[in-house]
Amino acid sequence: MAERVDAKTILIGLMADPIRHSSSPTMHNEAYAKLGLNYVQMAFEVDNSNLKDAVNAIRTLGMRGSNISMPNKTEILQYLDELSPAAKLCGAVNTVVNDNGHLTGHNTDGLGFMAALKDNNIDVIGKKMTIVGAGGAATAIQIQAALDGVKEISIFNIKDASWERAITNAEKINNNTECTAHVYDLADLAKLKEEIADSYLFVNATGVGMKPLEGQTYIPDASYLRPDLIVVDVIYAPRETALLKMAKEVGCKTMNGLGMMLFQGDAAVQLYTGKAMPIPYMKEILD
Ligand code: NAD
């Protein structure tokens, strides 16, 4: 750090609470060091009570921007000057870029998901995907996929607090993009099987498969899958969820959430610096 930080170092924040567990600063600072860029990312404990002051500090201190995480992803919208199309449709921001005091909010989670698919030679553009979940990660994926040209999205969710968000996401997609979205209750397993059957891609974007639901999946058995279906889980701890294990046994091509995590960071670094993360090097570090 002493070799890297000097009077010209450009500061990027990470504003969330809790935040001391995050591996984001390690990932970003490793990337800046490898790229030889004089940037540093620092984590700040910021919640909704001090968010306004913290956002003003981005301008006051001439920071290049900040990553934003919970509980600030939606609350921050009111303090920004502009939103990217994805951030606007998601109603959530995870990256703020400061251009001479003008703050633009972006959402790179969906960008990261789409870039990870591309990195794995998975091309869902013009095709149908079925996705379970309507929380933060699922919303970003659904909106970006629709903006990028996915033809049809079937969204399944349980009837919990995220159910209404599933309905809203589908409305936004149907009203603002060329994509067609439908919403179904995850309790209707016959419908789930039917929708997966003519999908190119199936995505789990819920926490089912990670602690405290590790080892679990809502897919009752392997008859829901087929060898030419591509199965993605946004979970990266564990690297192989019960869903991915079942999919591999069937012969499906699979992808876990590590790539999404890496490429959402890459998208943020590109917005801040104009340079891409050193992806092969970052993959080594994260593995
Ligand atoms: P969230 O709390 O916003 O949403 C949770 C979703 O899971 C909701 O749709 C909810 O209805 C659903 N759900 C909860 N319990 C369920 C159950 N028992 N059965 C079926 N559905 C259930 O969470 P989030 O931030 O969207 O995160 C969801 C998952 O995505 C987590 O596993 C998280 O680790 C992962 N994630 C990965 C990345 C990445 O970069 N790979 C980024 C963000 C989140």
Side-chain angles (χ1 to χ4, degrees):
M1 246 343 185
E3 290 158 24
R4 289 233 296 119
V5 177
D6 62 20
K8 292 192 182 115
T9 302
I10 296 166
L11 178 60
I12 290 164
L14 168 58
M15 299 178 178
D17 189 19
I19 195 54
R20 297 299 168 202
H21 65 285
S22 174
S23 51
S24 178
T26 307
M27 178 168 91
H28 283 250
N29 290 317
E30 286 282 358
Y32 296 135
K34 184 76 177 169
L35 290 168
L37 294 174
N38 199 356
Y39 287 75
V40 67
Q41 191 197 54
M42 293 279 296
F44 298 103
E45 270 164 1
V46 175
D47 63 15
N48 292 176
S49 69
N50 55 354
L51 181 61
K52 188 178 180 185
D53 287 345
V55 172
N56 276 332
I58 297 175
R59 295 191 183 91
T60 308
L61 301 178
M63 294 165 64
R64 178 59 179 138
S66 183
N67 287 48
I68 305 297
S69 196
M70 296 311 283
N72 304 318
K73 284 184 167 187
T74 53
E75 193 70 15
I76 196 167
L77 265 66
Q78 61 188 307
Y79 305 127
L80 302 176
D81 302 307
E82 195 181 334
L83 296 174
S84 73
K88 199 171 180 179
L89 286 180
C90 288
V93 160
N94 74 345
T95 304
V96 173
V97 177
N98 178 14
D99 292 303
N100 303 313
H102 184 89
L103 301 187
T104 306
H106 299 262
N107 192 315
T108 67
D109 279 334
L111 291 172
F113 177 83
M114 296 304 287
L117 290 185
K118 199 172 172 196
D119 187 55
N120 279 275
N121 298 314
I122 300 168
D123 181 10
V124 68
I125 305 306
K127 298 174 188 150
K128 171 172 172 175
M129 80 181 212
T130 293
I131 178 166
V132 181
T139 297
I141 290 168
Q142 290 155 16
I143 297 293
Q144 193 66 53
L147 286 171
D148 284 3
V150 168
K151 189 173 159 218
E152 190 180 343
I153 304 178
S154 290
I155 303 169
F156 284 80
N157 210 84
I158 56 173
K159 293 247 173 131
D160 69 350
S162 293
W163 175 254
E164 283 305 318
R165 197 163 180 196
I167 307 273
T168 310
N169 289 351
E171 280 171 5
K172 285 182 183 172
I173 288 168
N174 290 330
N175 293 336
N176 295 283
T177 75
E178 300 295 311
C179 176
T180 305
H182 300 279
V183 178
Y184 305 103
D185 185 351
L186 185 60
D188 187 351
L189 289 173
K191 191 66 189 164
L192 180 66
K193 196 171 196 175
E194 192 183 312
E195 292 304 300
I196 290 175
D198 67 349
S199 290
Y200 168 79
L201 182 67
F202 175 67
V203 182
N204 172 52
T206 76
V208 180
M210 69 179 281
K211 280 188 183 129
L213 303 174
E214 192 165 344
Q216 297 186 26
T217 172
Y218 39 73
I219 300 284
D221 60 65
S223 70
Y224 283 66
L225 311 176
R226 58 177 204 281
D228 68 339
L229 177 73
I230 297 170
V231 178
V232 173
D233 204 319
V234 299
I235 292 170
Y236 51 83
R239 299 284 193 262
E240 186 179 279
T241 57
L243 170 66
L244 291 189
K245 186 167 182 288
M246 187 193 285
K248 276 182 191 167
E249 281 164 10
V250 170
C252 306
K253 180 169 182 164
T254 62
M255 183 181 103
N256 67 24
L258 211 55
M260 175 176 170
M261 208 255 283
L262 175 63
F263 282 99
Q264 62 79 27
D266 174 53
V269 166
Q270 290 199 39
L271 287 167
Y272 296 136
T273 72
K275 297 237 163 61
M277 266 189 177
I279 297 295
Y281 175 71
M282 300 312 297
K283 278 182 181 168
E284 265 175 46
I285 288 177
L286 288 175
D287 211 18

